[in-house]
Amino acid sequence: RTLALTSSRIATPIAGGTEASTSEPQIALPRRVAETREAIQAAAQGHDFEALRALIPEEGFTFSFGGDTDPIRYWKRLESEGHVPVIGDVLPGVLGTEPGVDRGVFVWPAQATEDPATWDEQDIEALTAIHAREDIRSFQEAGLYLGWRVGIDRDGTWLFFVAGD
């Protein structure tokens, strides 16, 4: 509980693990969060849209700030328009980062839970795994992380996979 008051960062021992710095204690993800993350990761890497659909709750899932109503159709449309493969590349990449916590929700990447003005070189380096440096600079200039992010509630409910604001 003390960690939640002092840091939004969590190092996760999942998927090859990320090592926490010596100043940040390592905390395992709650079992249900880890199971959902692993299921999303496996479905995305396998391009299994039906498995992804089965993980999306019927209500309350955010995938777009537009008028779209079907996340799978939306992601497929983005890919057909020439975007980097959202499901095959972006989603697994985002889930491969270190998570943070925002109001009880586990969020990947951790930097999405932080003010970009506070990012240090380690944060920027971590983000280069999923963003170009020019995009990271634009987030800092905007004062918001606007990239793709994933949120899973403590009970294992997948809440969002969205980009933008």
Side-chain angles (χ1 to χ4, degrees):
R1 290 186 178 126
T2 302
L3 178 66
L5 298 173
T6 61
S7 176
S8 64
R9 280 291 165 98
I10 293 182
T12 177
I14 300 170
T18 58
E19 294 183 20
S21 71
T22 56
S23 64
E24 295 177 323
Q26 185 168 340
I27 298 174
L29 295 173
R31 180 184 54 81
R32 295 177 90 178
V33 173
E35 289 171 353
T36 299
R37 180 193 172 276
E38 290 171 8
I40 295 167
Q41 189 86 324
Q45 289 172 332
H47 299 272
D48 187 341
F49 288 100
E50 291 314 307
L52 283 171
R53 186 178 303 282
L55 294 166
I56 297 169
E58 289 185 32
E59 292 184 21
F61 183 76
T62 302
F63 63 94
S64 167
F65 295 114
D68 295 284
T69 58
D70 181 336
I72 301 298
R73 186 173 54 233
Y74 173 71
W75 297 326
K76 284 181 175 181
R77 181 175 55 79
L78 288 179
E79 292 182 4
S80 73
E81 293 172 352
H83 290 267
V84 171
V86 175
I87 298 306
D89 291 349
V90 176
L91 182 53
V94 171
L95 284 172
T97 64
E98 181 181 327
V101 177
D102 184 20
R103 292 172 272 162
V105 175
F106 291 82
V107 179
W108 288 261
Q111 292 77 14
T113 67
E114 302 167 357
D115 180 347
T118 66
W119 292 345
D120 59 19
E121 195 54 43
Q122 184 179 3
D123 292 312
I124 293 167
E125 191 60 35
L127 285 172
T128 62
I130 55 174
H131 294 289
R133 284 196 182 265
E134 64 190 48
D135 293 332
I136 297 167
R137 277 191 295 278
S138 72
F139 301 155
Q140 290 175 303
E141 290 169 7
L144 293 168
Y145 175 83
L146 299 170
W148 288 98
R149 55 203 176 274
V150 172
I152 301 174
D153 202 352
R154 182 168 294 285
D155 68 2
T157 302
W158 187 13
L159 299 175
F160 58 83
F161 173 50
V162 67
D165 183 33

